[in-house]
Amino acid sequence: MDRAFLLLNELAASDADPGMSLAELAEASSLANSTAHRLLVSMKHLGYVEYDEGSGLWSIGIKAFSVGNAYLRKRDFVAQARPYMRELVFEVGETSNIAILKGDRHVFVGQVECKEVMRMVVQIGSEGHVHAAGVGKTLLSVLPENEVLAIIESTGLPKLSDKTITTKQAFLKELKKVRECGYALDDEEQTPGLRCIASNIYDEYGEAVAAVSISGPSVRIPDERIAEIAEQVMKKAKAITHAIGGVHPRS
Protein backbone atom coordinates (compact mmCIF):
# COMPACT_ATOMS: atom_id res chain seq x y z
CA MET A 1 0.00 0.00 0.00
CA ASP A 2 2.79 2.44 0.92
CA ARG A 3 4.53 1.79 -2.40
CA ALA A 4 1.31 2.39 -4.31
CA PHE A 5 1.00 5.80 -2.65
CA LEU A 6 4.62 6.52 -3.58
CA LEU A 7 3.72 6.03 -7.24
CA LEU A 8 0.61 8.20 -6.93
CA ASN A 9 2.66 10.93 -5.26
CA GLU A 10 5.22 10.85 -8.07
CA LEU A 11 2.49 11.13 -10.70
CA ALA A 12 0.80 13.98 -8.80
CA ALA A 13 4.07 15.88 -8.30
CA SER A 14 5.33 15.39 -11.85
CA ASP A 15 5.08 18.27 -14.31
CA ALA A 16 5.56 15.86 -17.19
CA ASP A 17 2.74 16.12 -19.70
CA PRO A 18 0.84 13.92 -20.48
CA GLY A 19 2.37 11.44 -18.03
CA MET A 20 5.34 9.33 -16.97
CA SER A 21 6.78 6.12 -18.31
CA LEU A 22 7.11 2.97 -16.23
CA ALA A 23 10.89 3.38 -16.11
CA GLU A 24 10.59 6.98 -14.91
CA LEU A 25 8.11 6.05 -12.20
CA ALA A 26 10.16 3.07 -11.03
CA GLU A 27 13.32 5.16 -10.80
CA ALA A 28 11.61 8.09 -9.05
CA SER A 29 10.05 5.81 -6.43
CA SER A 30 13.08 3.50 -6.09
CA LEU A 31 11.08 0.44 -7.10
CA ALA A 32 11.87 -2.39 -9.45
CA ASN A 33 10.15 -2.09 -12.82
CA SER A 34 8.18 -5.28 -12.20
CA THR A 35 6.97 -4.07 -8.80
CA ALA A 36 5.99 -0.66 -10.13
CA HIS A 37 4.16 -2.25 -13.05
CA ARG A 38 2.19 -4.61 -10.79
CA LEU A 39 1.11 -1.77 -8.53
CA LEU A 40 0.18 0.47 -11.44
CA VAL A 41 -1.94 -2.23 -13.04
CA SER A 42 -3.79 -2.76 -9.75
CA MET A 43 -4.43 0.97 -9.38
CA LYS A 44 -5.53 1.17 -13.01
CA HIS A 45 -8.26 -1.41 -12.34
CA LEU A 46 -9.45 0.76 -9.43
CA GLY A 47 -9.40 3.93 -11.51
CA TYR A 48 -6.61 5.69 -9.62
CA VAL A 49 -4.24 5.78 -12.61
CA GLU A 50 -4.66 5.66 -16.37
CA TYR A 51 -2.44 4.16 -19.06
CA ASP A 52 -2.12 5.41 -22.63
CA GLU A 53 -1.36 2.47 -24.93
CA GLY A 54 -0.09 4.73 -27.70
CA SER A 55 2.45 6.70 -25.69
CA GLY A 56 3.13 4.11 -22.98
CA LEU A 57 2.65 6.79 -20.33
CA TRP A 58 0.90 6.60 -16.96
CA SER A 59 -1.13 9.46 -15.50
CA ILE A 60 -3.48 10.25 -12.61
CA GLY A 61 -6.91 8.61 -12.96
CA ILE A 62 -10.39 9.97 -12.35
CA LYS A 63 -10.72 8.17 -9.00
CA ALA A 64 -7.68 9.93 -7.59
CA PHE A 65 -9.11 13.22 -8.83
CA SER A 66 -12.42 12.47 -7.10
CA VAL A 67 -10.67 11.74 -3.81
CA GLY A 68 -8.67 14.95 -4.03
CA ASN A 69 -11.74 16.93 -4.98
CA ALA A 70 -13.60 15.57 -1.96
CA TYR A 71 -10.83 16.91 0.26
CA LEU A 72 -11.04 20.32 -1.37
CA ARG A 73 -14.79 20.41 -0.82
CA LYS A 74 -14.28 19.55 2.83
CA ARG A 75 -11.56 22.16 3.25
CA ASP A 76 -13.62 24.92 1.61
CA PHE A 77 -16.95 23.86 3.06
CA VAL A 78 -17.22 26.45 5.82
CA ALA A 79 -15.82 29.19 3.61
CA GLN A 80 -18.56 28.50 1.06
CA ALA A 81 -21.22 28.53 3.76
CA ARG A 82 -20.15 31.74 5.51
CA PRO A 83 -21.74 34.25 3.09
CA TYR A 84 -25.12 32.56 3.56
CA MET A 85 -24.62 32.39 7.32
CA ARG A 86 -23.87 36.12 7.38
CA GLU A 87 -27.08 36.75 5.43
CA LEU A 88 -28.98 34.61 7.92
CA VAL A 89 -27.56 36.54 10.88
CA PHE A 90 -28.49 39.84 9.20
CA GLU A 91 -32.03 38.68 8.44
CA VAL A 92 -32.80 37.00 11.78
CA GLY A 93 -30.57 38.97 14.14
CA GLU A 94 -29.19 35.90 15.92
CA THR A 95 -25.99 33.82 15.77
CA SER A 96 -25.58 31.19 13.05
CA ASN A 97 -23.60 27.99 13.50
CA ILE A 98 -22.60 25.14 11.25
CA ALA A 99 -21.93 21.66 12.61
CA ILE A 100 -21.07 18.17 11.45
CA LEU A 101 -21.78 14.75 12.94
CA LYS A 102 -18.82 12.95 14.49
CA GLY A 103 -19.65 9.62 16.07
CA ASP A 104 -22.34 10.21 18.68
CA ARG A 105 -21.64 13.95 19.00
CA HIS A 106 -22.06 17.00 16.83
CA VAL A 107 -19.03 19.24 16.29
CA PHE A 108 -19.19 22.95 15.57
CA VAL A 109 -17.02 23.87 12.58
CA GLY A 110 -18.13 27.43 11.88
CA GLN A 111 -19.91 30.39 13.44
CA VAL A 112 -21.06 33.88 12.54
CA GLU A 113 -21.99 35.85 15.64
CA CYS A 114 -24.77 38.38 15.88
CA LYS A 115 -24.22 41.82 17.43
CA GLU A 116 -26.44 41.33 20.47
CA VAL A 117 -24.77 41.58 23.87
CA MET A 118 -26.53 38.42 25.01
CA ARG A 119 -25.79 35.84 22.31
CA MET A 120 -24.76 32.23 21.84
CA VAL A 121 -21.01 31.74 21.43
CA VAL A 122 -19.41 28.34 20.91
CA GLN A 123 -15.79 27.37 20.48
CA ILE A 124 -15.01 25.99 17.03
CA GLY A 125 -14.26 22.30 17.41
CA SER A 126 -16.41 21.92 20.53
CA GLU A 127 -18.76 18.96 20.72
CA GLY A 128 -22.32 18.62 21.95
CA HIS A 129 -25.09 16.15 22.76
CA VAL A 130 -26.92 15.36 19.51
CA HIS A 131 -30.23 14.46 21.14
CA ALA A 132 -30.68 17.89 22.72
CA ALA A 133 -29.44 20.18 19.95
CA GLY A 134 -31.08 21.43 16.78
CA VAL A 135 -28.03 20.61 14.65
CA GLY A 136 -27.73 17.18 16.23
CA LYS A 137 -31.37 16.25 15.79
CA THR A 138 -31.56 17.32 12.15
CA LEU A 139 -28.37 15.39 11.32
CA LEU A 140 -29.70 12.28 13.05
CA SER A 141 -33.08 12.57 11.32
CA VAL A 142 -31.65 11.33 8.00
CA LEU A 143 -29.72 8.38 9.40
CA PRO A 144 -31.04 4.80 9.27
CA GLU A 145 -32.94 3.92 12.45
CA ASN A 146 -30.39 1.27 13.47
CA GLU A 147 -27.64 3.93 13.49
CA VAL A 148 -29.82 6.29 15.51
CA LEU A 149 -30.55 3.53 18.03
CA ALA A 150 -26.83 2.78 18.32
CA ILE A 151 -26.15 6.43 19.12
CA ILE A 152 -28.97 6.49 21.66
CA GLU A 153 -27.48 3.41 23.33
CA SER A 154 -24.06 5.07 23.36
CA THR A 155 -25.16 8.40 24.83
CA GLY A 156 -27.95 7.24 27.12
CA LEU A 157 -29.99 10.38 26.32
CA PRO A 158 -28.85 12.30 29.42
CA LYS A 159 -31.16 14.95 30.86
CA LEU A 160 -29.63 18.38 30.33
CA SER A 161 -32.66 20.49 31.17
CA ASP A 162 -36.30 20.04 32.18
CA LYS A 163 -37.21 19.91 28.47
CA THR A 164 -34.63 17.35 27.30
CA ILE A 165 -36.06 14.32 25.49
CA THR A 166 -34.84 11.32 27.47
CA THR A 167 -36.78 8.31 26.15
CA LYS A 168 -36.17 6.34 22.97
CA GLN A 169 -39.80 6.38 21.86
CA ALA A 170 -40.14 10.14 22.30
CA PHE A 171 -36.86 10.80 20.53
CA LEU A 172 -37.73 8.66 17.51
CA LYS A 173 -41.06 10.49 17.33
CA GLU A 174 -39.17 13.79 17.41
CA LEU A 175 -36.92 12.71 14.51
CA LYS A 176 -39.99 11.76 12.48
CA LYS A 177 -41.32 15.27 13.03
CA VAL A 178 -37.98 16.73 11.89
CA ARG A 179 -38.08 14.68 8.67
CA GLU A 180 -41.61 15.85 7.94
CA CYS A 181 -41.03 19.58 8.44
CA GLY A 182 -37.39 19.84 7.25
CA TYR A 183 -35.93 21.47 10.35
CA ALA A 184 -35.18 20.67 13.98
CA LEU A 185 -35.95 22.78 17.04
CA ASP A 186 -33.96 22.73 20.26
CA ASP A 187 -36.61 24.17 22.55
CA GLU A 188 -34.44 24.90 25.60
CA GLU A 189 -33.61 21.17 25.67
CA GLN A 190 -29.88 21.73 26.11
CA THR A 191 -29.75 25.05 27.94
CA PRO A 192 -32.66 26.76 29.68
CA GLY A 193 -33.55 30.00 27.93
CA LEU A 194 -31.82 29.07 24.64
CA ARG A 195 -33.50 27.98 21.41
CA CYS A 196 -31.92 26.68 18.22
CA ILE A 197 -33.42 26.00 14.79
CA ALA A 198 -31.38 23.92 12.31
CA SER A 199 -31.62 22.34 8.87
CA ASN A 200 -29.39 19.98 6.91
CA ILE A 201 -26.90 20.74 4.12
CA TYR A 202 -26.50 17.98 1.52
CA ASP A 203 -23.72 16.81 -0.79
CA GLU A 204 -23.90 15.72 -4.42
CA TYR A 205 -25.21 12.32 -3.36
CA GLY A 206 -28.09 13.79 -1.40
CA GLU A 207 -26.47 12.87 1.92
CA ALA A 208 -26.44 15.28 4.86
CA VAL A 209 -22.90 16.50 5.47
CA ALA A 210 -23.60 19.32 7.95
CA ALA A 211 -26.33 21.41 9.50
CA VAL A 212 -26.73 25.18 9.63
CA SER A 213 -28.57 26.81 12.50
CA ILE A 214 -29.79 29.94 14.21
CA SER A 215 -29.43 30.13 17.99
CA GLY A 216 -30.55 32.73 20.47
CA PRO A 217 -32.40 33.47 23.70
CA SER A 218 -35.97 32.21 23.80
CA VAL A 219 -37.14 35.74 24.60
CA ARG A 220 -35.94 36.79 21.13
CA ILE A 221 -37.08 33.54 19.49
CA PRO A 222 -40.63 33.27 20.86
CA ASP A 223 -43.18 30.74 19.64
CA GLU A 224 -44.60 33.15 17.06
CA ARG A 225 -41.20 33.56 15.36
CA ILE A 226 -40.26 29.88 15.09
CA ALA A 227 -42.02 29.15 11.78
CA GLU A 228 -40.64 32.31 10.15
CA ILE A 229 -37.06 31.69 11.31
CA ALA A 230 -37.28 28.00 10.36
CA GLU A 231 -38.24 29.00 6.83
CA GLN A 232 -35.20 31.29 6.60
CA VAL A 233 -32.87 28.62 7.97
CA MET A 234 -34.16 26.04 5.50
CA LYS A 235 -33.78 28.52 2.65
CA LYS A 236 -30.11 29.11 3.54
CA ALA A 237 -29.49 25.37 3.98
CA LYS A 238 -30.74 24.84 0.43
CA ALA A 239 -28.61 27.74 -0.86
CA ILE A 240 -25.46 26.34 0.78
CA THR A 241 -26.30 22.87 -0.57
CA HIS A 242 -26.50 24.25 -4.12
CA ALA A 243 -23.32 26.33 -3.61
CA ILE A 244 -21.28 23.21 -2.81
CA GLY A 245 -22.78 21.26 -5.70
CA GLY A 246 -25.15 19.26 -3.53
CA VAL A 247 -28.63 17.92 -4.10
CA HIS A 248 -31.28 18.97 -1.58
CA PRO A 249 -34.19 16.50 -1.22
CA ARG A 250 -36.65 19.37 -0.87
CA SER A 251 -35.48 21.30 -3.93
Side-chain angles (χ1 to χ4, degrees), residues 137 165 170-178 185 189:
K137 287 196 285 186
I165 299 172
F171 189 66
L172 292 177
K173 184 178 179 180
E174 174 74 359
L175 293 187
K176 182 182 180 207
K177 179 181 175 183
V178 173
L185 170 67
E189 297 160 48

Side-chain angles (χ1 to χ4, degrees), residues 42-194:
S42 295
M43 288 191 288
K44 178 176 178 291
H45 289 319
L46 295 172
Y48 285 95
V49 299
E50 294 178 354
Y51 179 67
D52 186 291
E53 296 281 354
S55 64
L57 298 179
W58 295 87
S59 59
I60 289 290
I62 189 66
K63 185 69 174 181
F65 172 78
S66 297
V67 171
N69 200 40
Y71 172 77
L72 290 176
R73 286 198 305 274
K74 178 181 177 182
R75 186 186 65 181
D76 294 336
F77 186 78
V78 178
Q80 290 176 289
R82 284 188 70 83
Y84 301 97
M85 294 169 69
R86 284 195 291 266
E87 289 177 5
L88 193 55
V89 171
F90 176 78
E91 293 167 3
V92 178
E94 301 295 342
T95 294
S96 178
N97 293 295
I98 191 168
I100 60 173
L101 189 63
K102 181 181 179 183
D104 59 9
R105 295 287 189 271
H106 65 262
V107 180
F108 290 106
V109 294
Q111 181 178 76
V112 176
E113 294 182 38
C114 68
K115 295 182 180 180
E116 298 287 344
V117 174
M118 184 171 64
R119 62 184 184 271
M120 179 189 179
V121 179
V122 297
Q123 183 177 355
I124 302 305
S126 62
E127 301 180 354
H129 296 278
V130 288
H131 73 291
V135 290
K137 287 196 285 186
T138 192
L139 286 167
L140 288 187
S141 72
V142 295
L143 292 182
E145 186 171 300
N146 65 312
E147 292 185 29
V148 174
L149 292 174
I151 289 173
I152 289 175
E153 288 296 322
S154 173
T155 63
L157 299 176
K159 184 175 181 178
L160 305 176
S161 80
D162 290 340
K163 293 188 175 183
T164 305
I165 299 172
T166 57
T167 68
K168 179 176 71 174
Q169 184 177 2
F171 189 66
L172 292 177
K173 184 178 179 180
E174 174 74 359
L175 293 187
K176 182 182 180 207
K177 179 181 175 183
V178 173
R179 286 191 292 272
E180 291 171 350
C181 65
Y183 71 90
L185 170 67
D186 163 10
D187 189 10
E188 304 182 67
E189 297 160 48
Q190 187 166 217
T191 305
L194 181 69

